[in-house]
Amino acid sequence: MAKGMKACTWIMRLFQLFFAIILVGVLSYMIHQFHRYGLPVPRELIVPEVFSVLAIVVTGFSILSVFFLSYTLQLVAALFDLTMFAGYLASAILLRHNYRIWISPLRTILSYPPGPLGPPHHIARNTGLVRLLVGLTVIQTVLFLNTTILSLFIAKDTEKKKELEEKRGHATA
């Protein structure tokens, strides 16, 4: 059962890594668009960007912790997962006004920028990018919650195996 949990956690962590990389790209593009239009960058882009960059680093560490690290470092990975879960949950809450795409403030600002930039442009691209941003943020929230729980189970299982080995070692001595 432990090997199945480890494999499941490892696969989830790979998805977390891939989705975090995609989110960094999408959010960087959106932030660039806001700078291009001379508009202040909203919090609903800054917070997920920060947590997506952190997720790349944390997930890299956590991928190693699944198979190679000790009980204590697996607990540290679970703590990092819990922190990332909280960050993505905050990001999902900040993006709550963008769940219905046709009244999405991000889509509206990116597609119809104020000022002398001419007619609206990139409406379809911006609509898709806002949908991708919202969807991946919610998915990352769920993935980090699941890996937090699985990491705790794996750490507990690792500790049990260590205790059994110690008992066997004392019994043979």
Side-chain angles (χ1 to χ4, degrees):
M1 179 157 158
K3 290 204 185 269
M5 282 194 306
K6 285 184 178 184
C8 184
T9 304
W10 190 76
I11 290 169
M12 279 190 211
R13 291 195 189 286
L14 284 179
F15 279 116
Q16 288 171 344
L17 180 64
F18 296 148
F19 293 160
I21 291 169
I22 293 168
L23 277 170
V24 166
V26 167
L27 288 161
S28 296
Y29 172 78
M30 287 182 174
I31 290 170
H32 171 72
Q33 291 297 94
F34 272 89
H35 285 296
R36 183 175 150 220
Y37 298 146
L39 299 171
V41 180
R43 286 182 311 203
E44 57 256 24
L45 294 181
I46 299 293
V47 173
E49 176 85 3
V50 168
F51 280 100
S52 294
V53 170
L54 288 173
I56 293 171
V57 175
V58 166
T59 304
F61 168 76
S62 298
I63 285 173
L64 293 175
S65 75
V66 172
F67 291 106
F68 304 114
L69 299 178
S70 68
Y71 167 76
T72 305
L73 290 177
Q74 287 178 359
L75 286 179
V76 169
L79 179 65
F80 284 156
D81 283 342
L82 183 62
T83 304
M84 297 309 301
F85 163 71
Y88 275 114
L89 183 62
S91 300
I93 291 169
L94 285 173
L95 288 166
R96 71 188 177 279
H97 298 297
N98 297 289
Y99 289 164
R100 295 189 336 189
I101 200 63
W102 297 113
I103 58 171
S104 167
L106 280 177
R107 176 195 162 270
T108 303
I109 291 172
L110 289 170
S111 298
Y112 304 100
L117 291 176
H121 42 284
H122 308 303
I123 295 171
R125 179 186 334 162
N126 291 329
T127 300
L129 288 176
V130 171
R131 284 181 178 173
L132 181 66
L133 168 64
V134 169
L136 287 181
T137 302
V138 171
I139 290 171
Q140 286 285 74
T141 304
V142 172
L143 285 174
F144 275 105
L145 175 63
N146 288 334
T147 55
T148 300
I149 294 167
L150 285 172
S151 293
L152 291 173
F153 281 127
I154 290 170
K156 182 179 175 183
D157 188 57
T158 303
E159 185 65 17
K160 282 183 183 179
K161 285 182 181 178
K162 184 179 175 184
E163 288 175 6
L164 284 174
E165 288 175 5
E166 287 177 0
K167 286 181 182 178
R168 287 181 191 158
H170 290 295
T172 57

